[in-house]
Amino acid sequence: MKKLCLLSAFLLGATLTAFAAEKAVTEQPSGLKEATTATPRYNPDAKKRSAWHRRWDACRQQIARGGVEIVFIGDSITHFWENDAQTDKRKIGGLATYKKYFSNYNVLNLGHAGDRTEHALWMVTGSKLLDGINPKLVVVMIGTNNLSKPRVDSPEAIAAGIEEIVKNIRIKQPEAKILLFGIFPRSANAKHRNRNKIIVVNGIISKLADNENIFYCDITADLLKKDGNLSKEVMPDYLHPNDIGYEIWARAMMPYVHKFVGKK
């Protein structure tokens, strides 16, 4: 009888341990695997060359010319440094601001509209676009698309994806300084559900900064009105900045550019 009780206790303990392990796996942050797995947006070897392929072909040509000093990594908000708000139907973009602040610098812009953390991670680890260059500064701002369908990720998963990006930039470019920006606020209303998610993400990724090789900057307060709402005067579509918004971003960036790249 005693042996039977011991056997029952052992089996119960094993069952509870297995249940706890299974529960831990199933309770991992939503989207964690996807957000942290390097994935190209399109097949990089596809015979049919899309706008995505042509953009990276142009980046390779820029790299071949040499002298890259700064790298931008991100999504459409980073991509649209190249967009002219004066001619864009949505009135978004920061081309005028880019010319004002960065015309004397050799900036490799690896941002692409629609990119999520996993796409930017592939850009760092799989595209080879960070190979053979020696930038002094890498600027990262990514994650807002992970809040959008078709897959809405948890803040913890998004933060984990950003951490992977930063970690792999350090591996690829150990001599470069990394300037990590918090995800910009989106949606007009301060009470929108995405606002709190962004606050959580930014709180987590801010801890990645060591203020020696990795620096963190959050310009949320500068982009918002006093009541916490977002103005069309800064982000006409409540997601992408115009030149006013890009001016705010550039001013926050330039002290680091001057310090690590130099004044020009």
Side-chain angles (χ1 to χ4, degrees):
M1 184 70 179
K2 185 177 180 181
K3 290 182 178 179
L4 182 60
C5 290
L6 289 172
L7 178 61
S8 298
F10 173 79
L11 292 174
L12 177 61
T15 301
L16 290 173
T17 300
F19 175 76
E22 182 179 355
K23 185 177 181 183
V25 171
T26 58
E27 288 185 352
Q28 70 178 7
S30 175
L32 178 63
K33 181 178 179 181
E34 294 85 351
T36 57
T37 301
T39 308
R41 282 282 297 285
Y42 302 98
N43 178 4
D45 300 319
K47 292 182 179 179
K48 185 177 181 180
R49 310 300 285 175
S50 66
W52 183 83
H53 293 91
R54 291 192 294 273
R55 179 167 177 78
W56 307 135
D57 288 342
C59 286
R60 292 185 184 94
Q61 292 173 9
Q62 180 183 351
I63 290 169
R65 292 192 293 270
V68 171
E69 299 171 298
I70 303 170
V71 176
F72 288 170
I73 293 175
D75 45 45
S76 56
I77 299 174
T78 296
H79 189 166
F80 291 169
W81 274 110
E82 303 168 8
N83 206 48
D84 189 349
Q86 302 304 313
T87 58
D88 185 90
K89 292 181 179 179
R90 296 167 294 175
K91 303 299 181 185
I92 60 176
L95 183 60
T97 305
Y98 181 87
K99 290 178 178 178
K100 176 181 176 181
Y101 287 95
F102 295 102
S103 59
N104 292 325
Y105 294 93
N106 190 337
V107 179
L108 179 66
N109 188 339
L110 298 182
H112 194 280
D115 272 6
R116 301 164 71 97
T117 56
E118 60 265 32
H119 304 131
L121 181 57
W122 179 84
M123 195 59 59
V124 172
T125 62
S127 72
K128 298 182 180 180
L129 291 172
L130 286 186
D131 297 347
I133 59 174
N134 296 289
K136 296 180 179 179
L137 181 66
V138 180
V139 181
V140 181
M141 204 285 287
I142 188 72
T144 196
N145 288 320
N146 291 69
L147 294 166
S148 303
K149 293 180 179 181
R151 190 192 79 237
V152 178
D153 296 337
S154 67
E156 294 78 11
I158 299 169
I162 296 170
E163 182 175 1
E164 282 297 306
I165 292 166
V166 171
K167 180 179 74 176
N168 280 279
I169 293 171
R170 287 285 298 140
I171 293 171
K172 284 276 188 177
Q173 292 291 336
E175 300 301 319
K177 304 299 182 182
I178 300 172
L179 176 55
L180 174 63
F181 277 89
I183 299 174
F184 291 176
R186 56 183 291 179
S187 307
N189 196 307
K191 296 181 180 179
H192 192 278
R193 63 183 180 278
N194 282 333
R195 292 292 192 88
N196 282 334
K197 291 180 179 180
I198 290 172
I199 289 171
V200 173
V201 174
N202 290 348
I204 297 172
I205 66 173
S206 67
K207 298 174 184 176
L208 297 175
D210 59 14
N211 294 321
E212 182 177 349
N213 295 299
I214 305 168
F215 301 83
Y216 177 77
C217 188
D218 191 332
I219 60 172
T220 297
D222 298 314
L223 293 168
L224 296 174
K225 296 192 292 185
K226 291 182 179 180
D227 61 4
N229 292 332
L230 196 55
S231 171
K232 278 192 171 185
E233 294 179 1
V234 176
M235 292 188 183
D237 63 353
Y238 301 119
L239 178 62
H240 302 94
N242 57 17
D243 276 305
I244 295 174
Y246 280 98
E247 177 82 19
I248 293 169
W249 194 7
R251 288 184 179 182
M253 205 184 297
M254 291 315 292
Y256 299 91
V257 173
H258 292 161
K259 182 176 181 178
F260 299 124
V261 185
K263 291 184 178 182
K264 294 189 178 183

